[in-house]
């Protein structure tokens, strides 16, 4: 056996190998590897292949009767190849010997191999020996190469292209559903539909019945043979009687229909081109409308939200302000995140639209005024500034209200104590009890008055404190300031009156003192020591009941230390109390000793032993309460410190993690590790990793809420604030989405322009080499150096500068002074690839118009799908040339407008 071109993997029919002349063989369903055929299939193939060969041999005035016998000497085989190829083969040998036949068959096989078909396991000896299976395999190889290989519809393979052509041509016909080249053709309707689609006058399709396949098949075969010059290659009974008709026989016969109607195929190809261009245009217009709508909605939301954030409506109570803070948290947690996603998606849609417009040669999309991506970014920035101001105002107001509540309570407490002290003082000062008193009594009254003056002076600080607190409440705009002012004014007026009365009473007593000499020294000493001690106890009780507000552990620790110091003085105070009581006891003892009748109580003071003991007992009761209050506050501050540390620990993990991810994404976007698909998958893995990390941020939000609810305003355990982390998180989500979109656009550019992975990597390597700062963009001088390295003549002379300015106008139309990588590959792809042009679309319309300078609506509706035909009719201007007819449309101006080359 002679083995031609035996390299590569064996193929049942002998065709193998890559390339435009070999791939079509690998796409067909061929015989099994043992070259065994179903008998029914072999019968169909014999008949079909014989008819196909005779359809060509009759052009040379001959034919064959037995396919595996008549090709044995190689003569008719060589003649068949000359007829179907239009080329001359080497001169055949006319001898009758076996060697002559083998040589002739080898010449035919060599010619087949010269057309790019690799023949394996098909040798000249099998053909000469009349091997039926090898002969049928060789003829099938010839049919594939010369009748089917060149069939291509929308860049599909031969078989797929032929199947797609059949599906499109038979799509409008009922009961026809072509999915393959075997059972889809058994009922004969598909053959009739193909003929009726191109020659409707030859077939009465509506009269055909699906349940009469033999009649349908014979009708199609007879019409094709009589009117289309397609010989009858199939037998209706064989097709109907076979469970699964032979695919290769059907394909061979259907390919004859394709070639018979090839003239109509040109018009269909032209229509397909136009449909493709119009589909791109319609899709781009829809994307533009979607962008305008989304941009308008987002800007409207921003414009509605900013006034709300800028509203400053102070509340009178802490619960009311906390409700405002909760409303703001709900906005941050519920309302804003979807808008962040919409903003990111809007930028992605805009970039994708611009990329599609560039790839299809359309002008760049310019949104309506005020709806540019930059306008949305500016509005978003104003929104975030308003957010920051609103949150700062809320926290400031909460601090103010907390301070006001504390001051108001402190005012009421001090005012109550003072009013309690002043009760009855005015009446006592107005009393004229010295009129009938003895000298001792007068002197006692004078000493009592001196003690009262001492007490009065001691209360001066309290009155000043009350007035100062009232003033501060007014300055802080306390809501109940009128009642505070009225009470403060009443206290001050009463205090002035007490001062005046005190001065008058002293003058009266001093006048009578000259007449009275006797004084009870012990009672006087008791009064002088009891009064300050009494004041000390009142101050101690006031201090022990004084409210306090702290924000740190250090502050509460200071209060606890001061309280401990106060408790350390209680021993001395108790000894002082016992000493004062001892004076009173000594006076009583002397009176009893000498039989003296003392007046009830001490004539020099109203502070009795019972009062001292009562207040001392009260002080003793208040000390443990103060201990408890300070301990509770210390526990609260410890809890606050725990919240600070908890938030700080989580923030110190989340903040560096976000920064690290931002840096890693930046490195991925400029590195050239693997294909663009690898980079895209890597970025999507990063995106998934980021999404999975979101619970950590939500945990931080929960901790931050606890911190704010505890009214904690500072945290020394972390430099990160929740606002910084929110902004960082939103930037991270936007950056990963934008980077993924850039890589997807690069893939879109690469696939649309036919750029290889090696070219894309070369472009990236050149770009990265000159991107010294790794900023993702080249300055003019860096870009010029890159162009020079790629062989562009942009040196520093007049011609080079002009060429460089032309290129810069292409890659940087907005004059931003930088060239992005996307713009760079768009430029390089335009320099190395071709795209559809306005001229190509004009030529396609000219085919549909039958070489006329205009086209009619009827022709558009006949050749294009309904939606795209109406799209053209609505946008084409009337044709005004000298050869115009009524209803003529100008397809030339319409085509140039698609590519931005006219004002239409």
């Amino acid at each position: 056996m002679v083995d031609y071109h035996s390299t590569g993997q064996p193929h049942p029919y002998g065709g193998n190998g890559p390339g435009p002349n070999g791939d079509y063989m690998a796409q067909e369903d061929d015989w099994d590897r043992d070259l065994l055929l179903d008998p029914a299939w072999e019968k169909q193939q014999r008949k079909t292949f014989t008819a196909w060969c005779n359809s060509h041999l009759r052009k040379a005035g001959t034919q064959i009767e037995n396919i595996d016998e008549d090709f044995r000497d190689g003569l008719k085989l060589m003649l068949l190849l000359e007829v179907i190829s239009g080329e001359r083969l080497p001169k055949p040998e006319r001898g009758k010997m076996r060697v002559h036949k083998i040589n002739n068959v080898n010449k035919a096989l060599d010619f087949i191999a010269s057309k790019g078909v690799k023949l394996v396991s098909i040798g000249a000896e099998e053909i000469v020996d009349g091997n039926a299976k090898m002969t049928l395999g060789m003829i099938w190889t010839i049919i594939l190469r010369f009748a089917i290989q060149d069939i291509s519809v929308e860049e599909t393979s031969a078989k797929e292209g032929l199947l797609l052509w059949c599906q499109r041509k038979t799509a409008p016909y009922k009961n026809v559903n072509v999915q393959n080249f075997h059972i889809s053709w058994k009922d004969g309707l598909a053959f009739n539909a193909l003929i009726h689609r191109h020659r409707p006058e030859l077939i009465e399709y509506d009269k055909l019945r699906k349940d009469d396949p033999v009649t349908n098949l014979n009708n199609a075969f007879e019409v094709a043979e009589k009117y289309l010059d397609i010989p009858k290659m199939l037998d209706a009974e064989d097709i109907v009687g076979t469970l699964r008709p032979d695919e290769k026989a059907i394909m061979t016969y259907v390919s004859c229909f394709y070639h018979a109607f090839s003239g109509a195929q040109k018009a269909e190809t032209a229509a397909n081109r136009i449909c493709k261009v119009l589909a791109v245009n319609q899709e781009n217009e829809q994307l533009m409308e979607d962008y305008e709508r989304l941009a308008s909605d987002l800007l409207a939301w921003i414009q509605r939200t900013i006034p709300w954030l800028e509203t400053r409506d102070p509340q009178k109570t802490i619960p009311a302000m906390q409700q405002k803070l909760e409303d703001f948290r709900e906005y941050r947690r519920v309302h804003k995140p979807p808008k962040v996603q919409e903003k990111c998606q809007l930028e992605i849609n805009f970039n994708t639209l611009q990329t599609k417009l560039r790839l299809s040669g359309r002008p760049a999309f310019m949104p309506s005024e005020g709806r540019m991506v930059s306008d949305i970014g500016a509005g978003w920035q104003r929104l975030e500034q308003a957010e920051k101001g609103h949150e700062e105002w809320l926290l400031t107001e909460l601090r103010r209200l907390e301070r006001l509540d504390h001051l108001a309570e402190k005012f009421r407490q001090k005012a109550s104590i003072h009013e309690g002290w002043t009760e009855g003082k005015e009446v006592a000062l107005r009393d004229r009890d010295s009129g009938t008193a003895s000298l001792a009594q007068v002197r006692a009254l004078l000493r009592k008055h001196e003690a009262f003056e001492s007490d009065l002076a001691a209360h001066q600080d309290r009155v000043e404190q009350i007035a100062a607190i009232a003033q501060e409440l007014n300055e802080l705009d306390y809501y109940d300031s009128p009642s505070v002012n009225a009470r403060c004014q009443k206290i001050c007026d009463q205090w002035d009156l007490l001062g005046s009365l005190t001065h008058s009473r002293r003058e009266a007593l001093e006048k009578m003192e000259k007449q009275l000499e006797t004084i009870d020294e012990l009672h006087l000493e008791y009064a002088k020591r009891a009064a300050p001690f009494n004041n000390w106890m009142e101050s101690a009780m006031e201090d022990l009941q004084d409210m306090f507000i702290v924000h740190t552990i250090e502050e509460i620790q200071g209060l606890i230390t001061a309280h401990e110091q106060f408790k350390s003085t209680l021993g001395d105070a108790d000894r002082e109390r016992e000493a004062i009581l001892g004076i009173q006891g000594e006076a009583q003892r002397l009176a009893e000793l000498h039989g003296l009748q003392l007046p009830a109580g001490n004539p020099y003071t109203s502070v009795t032993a019972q009062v001292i003991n009562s207040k001392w007992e009260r002080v003793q009761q208040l000390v443990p309460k103060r201990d408890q209050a300070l301990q509770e506050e210390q526990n609260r501050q410890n809890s606050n410190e725990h919240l600070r540390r908890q938030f700080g620990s989580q923030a110190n993990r989340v903040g560096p993690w976000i920064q690290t991810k931002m840096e890693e994404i930046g490195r991925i976007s400029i590195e050239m590790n693997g294909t663009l698909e690898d980079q895209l998958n890597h970025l999507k893995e990063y995106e998934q990793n980021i999404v999975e990390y979101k619970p950590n941020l939500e945990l931080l939000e929960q901790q931050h809420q606890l911190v704010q609810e505890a009214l904690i305003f500072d945290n020394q355990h972390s430099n990160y604030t929740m606002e910084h982390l929110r902004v960082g998180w939103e930037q991270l989500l936007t950056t990963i989405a934008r980077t993924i979109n850039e890589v997807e656009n690069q893939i879109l550019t690469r696939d649309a322009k036919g750029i290889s992975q090696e070219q894309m990597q070369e472009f990236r390597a050149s770009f990265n080499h000159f991107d010294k700062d790794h900023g993702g963009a080249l300055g003019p001088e860096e870009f010029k150096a890159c162009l020079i390295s790629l062989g562009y003549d942009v040196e520093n002379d007049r011609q080079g500068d002009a060429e460089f300015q032309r290129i810069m106008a292409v890659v940087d139309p907005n004059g931003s002074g930088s060239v992005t990588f996307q713009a760079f590959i768009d430029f390089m792809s335009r320099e190395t690839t071709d795209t559809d042009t306005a001229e190509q679309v004009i030529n396609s319309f000219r085919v549909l118009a039958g070489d006329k300078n205009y086209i009619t609506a009827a022709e558009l509706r006949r050749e294009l799908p309904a939606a795209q035909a109406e799209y053209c009719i609505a946008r084409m201007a009337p044709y005004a040339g000298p050869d115009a007819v009524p209803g003529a449309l100008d397809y030339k101006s319409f085509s140039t407008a698609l590519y931005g080359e006219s004002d239409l």
Side-chain angles (χ1 to χ4, degrees), residues 324-351:
K324 278 189 168 293
L325 182 61
E326 182 58 31
D327 293 341
F328 181 71
R329 289 199 196 102
E330 182 179 4
Y331 156 79
R332 275 266 182 79
R333 186 173 58 251
V334 177
H335 301 290
K336 184 182 177 184
K339 299 303 178 182
V340 173
Q341 182 63 30
E342 287 180 16
K343 175 177 174 291
C344 178
Q345 189 61 46
L346 192 67
E347 294 177 358
I348 291 173
N349 291 350
F350 180 83
N351 293 335

Side-chain angles (χ1 to χ4, degrees), residues 258 261-272 844 847-848 863:
Y258 176 90
F261 299 131
S262 60
Q265 186 67 23
K266 291 178 62 179
E268 181 179 357
T269 302
N272 288 338
S844 298
V847 171
L848 298 187
E863 299 296 343

Side-chain angles (χ1 to χ4, degrees), residues 107-377:
K107 291 176 181 180
L109 295 178
D110 285 342
F111 178 80
I112 295 172
S114 70
K115 296 303 178 181
V117 179
K118 294 183 180 180
L119 299 170
V120 179
S121 302
I122 298 180
E125 287 85 350
E126 285 84 0
I127 307 302
V128 172
D129 292 338
N131 187 316
K133 295 178 178 58
M134 289 298 178
T135 303
L136 291 174
M138 177 189 66
I139 296 303
W140 174 240
T141 299
I142 294 172
I143 292 171
L144 282 175
R145 174 59 183 84
F146 293 98
I148 299 178
Q149 174 189 344
D150 295 332
I151 298 175
S152 178
V153 177
E154 293 187 359
E155 302 177 353
T156 57
S157 66
K159 178 180 177 180
E160 292 171 343
L162 184 59
L163 183 62
L164 181 58
W165 178 81
C166 294
Q167 290 172 340
R168 288 189 171 180
K169 293 301 181 180
T170 61
Y173 294 87
K174 63 180 181 180
N175 296 328
V176 177
N177 183 18
V178 178
Q179 297 296 326
N180 49 57
F181 286 109
H182 36 81
I183 61 175
S184 294
W185 303 83
K186 284 188 66 173
D187 59 9
L189 292 177
F191 290 109
N192 285 278
L194 281 178
I195 298 173
H196 186 268
R197 178 64 183 270
H198 296 88
R199 297 288 300 277
E201 74 277 10
L202 300 180
I203 297 290
E204 294 182 18
Y205 186 84
D206 292 336
K207 295 184 178 181
L208 299 177
R209 294 187 299 112
K210 186 176 181 64
D211 58 355
D212 191 4
V214 174
T215 300
N216 297 340
L217 290 166
N218 284 328
N219 182 63
F221 297 161
E222 291 168 5
V223 170
E225 186 173 35
K226 182 176 181 180
Y227 295 100
L228 304 178
D229 198 27
I230 298 176
K232 186 176 181 182
M233 300 182 184
L234 301 171
D235 184 88
E237 287 73 18
D238 290 344
I239 293 176
V240 174
T242 304
L243 182 62
R244 185 176 185 271
D246 180 69
E247 187 177 53
K248 298 168 184 59
I250 301 294
M251 282 181 66
T252 301
Y253 189 54
V254 171
S255 69
C256 295
F257 285 88
Y258 176 90
H259 290 292
F261 299 131
S262 60
Q265 186 67 23
K266 291 178 62 179
E268 181 179 357
T269 302
N272 288 338
R273 177 182 290 275
I274 292 171
C275 289
K276 180 180 177 182
V277 171
L278 295 179
V280 170
N281 219 57
Q282 289 172 310
E283 180 183 3
N284 291 340
E285 288 181 356
Q286 184 61 47
L287 288 174
M288 295 175 190
E289 292 175 3
D290 291 344
Y291 173 88
E292 291 284 344
R293 176 178 54 78
L294 289 174
S296 297
D297 293 346
L298 185 57
L299 286 170
W301 178 82
I302 292 174
Q303 292 168 358
R304 290 195 307 271
T305 304
I306 288 178
W308 174 71
L309 292 173
E310 292 177 344
T311 300
R312 299 294 183 264
D313 181 20
Q315 300 297 308
K316 295 181 179 180
T317 64
I318 288 180
M321 282 306 299
Q322 287 177 331
Q323 181 58 47
K324 278 189 168 293
L325 182 61
E326 182 58 31
D327 293 341
F328 181 71
R329 289 199 196 102
E330 182 179 4
Y331 156 79
R332 275 266 182 79
R333 186 173 58 251
V334 177
H335 301 290
K336 184 182 177 184
K339 299 303 178 182
V340 173
Q341 182 63 30
E342 287 180 16
K343 175 177 174 291
C344 178
Q345 189 61 46
L346 192 67
E347 294 177 358
I348 291 173
N349 291 350
F350 180 83
N351 293 335
T352 301
L353 173 59
Q354 298 292 39
T355 299
K356 289 185 176 181
L357 289 173
R358 286 195 299 271
L359 295 177
S360 59
R362 270 63 167 185
F365 169 55
M366 182 62 65
S368 302
E369 183 176 357
R371 297 177 183 172
M372 297 287 290
V373 173
S374 59
D375 297 324
I376 295 172

Side-chain angles (χ1 to χ4, degrees), residues 849-876:
D851 286 331
K852 298 191 299 294
N853 291 324
Y854 59 85
I855 194 167
T856 66
E859 289 172 331
L860 287 171
R861 291 189 176 101
R862 184 180 68 237
E863 299 296 343
L864 299 179
Q868 293 177 328
E870 297 304 324
Y871 179 84
C872 292
I873 293 169
R875 287 164 173 76
M876 281 189 182

